[in-house]
Amino acid sequence: MKLVYLYVAKHNVLEEIGMRFSSAHQIQFDNKNLYINRCDSNLEYYHGIQTTAIIGKNGSGKSTLLDFIESSYSDTESESSGFFIWGDDNGYYICPINYSFESIEINSDMPINININYRRFLNNHQVRLVKANNLSGSESNLITRKFRKNIFSHDLSLAQYNSGSSSKLAKRITRLMSFFIESSWVNE
């Protein structure tokens, strides 16, 4: 099960943002039509473990996007809205968060399932979010205060490694940076 697309209709400062998380899926959404199709991709990292990175400049919304992903699991009373599209060999699973699909036409080359209970969907498929951001100093305290204890998300941010050796931290960062430099999808 892989997160292939995320649409944030509204969450904090983010509005009407769609983000594709996999090069193996073509997705287009224009608020009336949703097109989802598979395409060939042979990208592999960490020995076949599916990994997605969200990269961008400071202030571009990376942490806010992660907050939407994480809060959608635990905050059922949120005013935030949007939807997630997950995919596996059996088809696509659309999980709306305070978002209606009644007037949206969905076209896909695979079966589509709409799952209203997002938390149950994630638990049934044993989906986990592992997040690692580059905050390592006092700025990490701002995020730590919003920490949500749940089985869905695991925080492996650099702040978590403050007690470890600097050489281990440098090795982790070098490994990630090598991936970004050598990966074709980063430049797409």
Side-chain angles (χ1 to χ4, degrees):
M1 185 68 55
K2 178 158 179 73
L3 178 61
V4 297
Y5 185 80
L6 164 65
Y7 178 76
V8 179
K10 175 81 174 123
H11 179 73
N12 295 340
V13 298
L14 300 180
E15 289 187 29
E16 298 186 20
I17 295 174
M19 183 170 285
R20 188 170 58 117
F21 287 95
S22 173
S23 61
H25 308 272
Q26 288 282 358
I27 299 174
Q28 295 177 335
F29 179 61
D30 64 9
N31 292 319
K32 295 179 183 175
N33 299 289
L34 176 62
Y35 301 95
I36 313 169
N37 296 299
R38 289 192 186 268
C39 56
D40 292 332
S41 175
N42 58 357
L43 295 177
E44 186 177 300
Y45 185 57
Y46 281 126
H47 309 289
I49 296 173
Q50 296 180 348
T51 306
T52 299
I54 302 169
I55 56 176
K57 294 181 181 180
N58 290 346
S60 62
K62 300 175 304 292
S63 294
T64 305
L65 189 65
L66 285 173
D67 184 62
F68 176 73
I69 294 170
E70 188 176 15
S71 65
S72 295
Y73 176 84
S74 56
D75 190 2
T76 56
E77 301 298 319
S78 172
E79 292 183 17
S80 298
S81 60
F83 62 88
F84 298 85
I85 300 176
W86 296 84
D88 65 12
D89 292 337
N90 298 317
Y92 294 106
Y93 306 86
I94 299 173
C95 301
I97 307 297
N98 300 322
Y99 197 85
S100 173
F101 270 84
E102 289 179 15
S103 62
I104 297 172
E105 185 175 329
I106 303 171
N107 299 289
S108 177
D109 59 353
M110 297 284 292
I112 298 285
N113 296 294
I114 296 181
N115 298 272
I116 296 172
N117 189 327
Y118 187 51
R119 186 178 197 147
R120 183 181 309 145
F121 170 81
L122 293 174
N123 289 338
N124 288 345
H125 291 279
Q126 299 179 340
V127 173
R128 301 295 177 259
L129 167 69
V130 179
K131 63 180 183 174
N133 66 42
N134 64 343
L135 301 179
S136 58
S138 60
E139 67 271 16
S140 67
N141 293 332
L142 297 173
I143 292 178
T144 306
R145 275 186 248 152
K146 296 193 316 186
F147 177 74
R148 293 176 183 89
K149 183 82 171 154
N150 62 54
I151 63 170
F152 171 60
S153 66
H154 305 279
D155 191 348
L156 299 180
S157 299
L158 298 182
Q160 304 296 321
Y161 300 115
N162 279 344
S163 61
S165 73
S166 58
S167 64
K168 284 185 180 180
L169 180 58
K171 192 175 185 178
R172 287 185 182 107
I173 292 171
T174 301
R175 191 173 176 188
L176 283 170
M177 292 310 296
S178 295
F179 167 69
F180 293 132
I181 291 167
E182 297 169 8
S183 295
S184 62
W185 63 265
V186 173
N187 298 318
E188 289 181 2

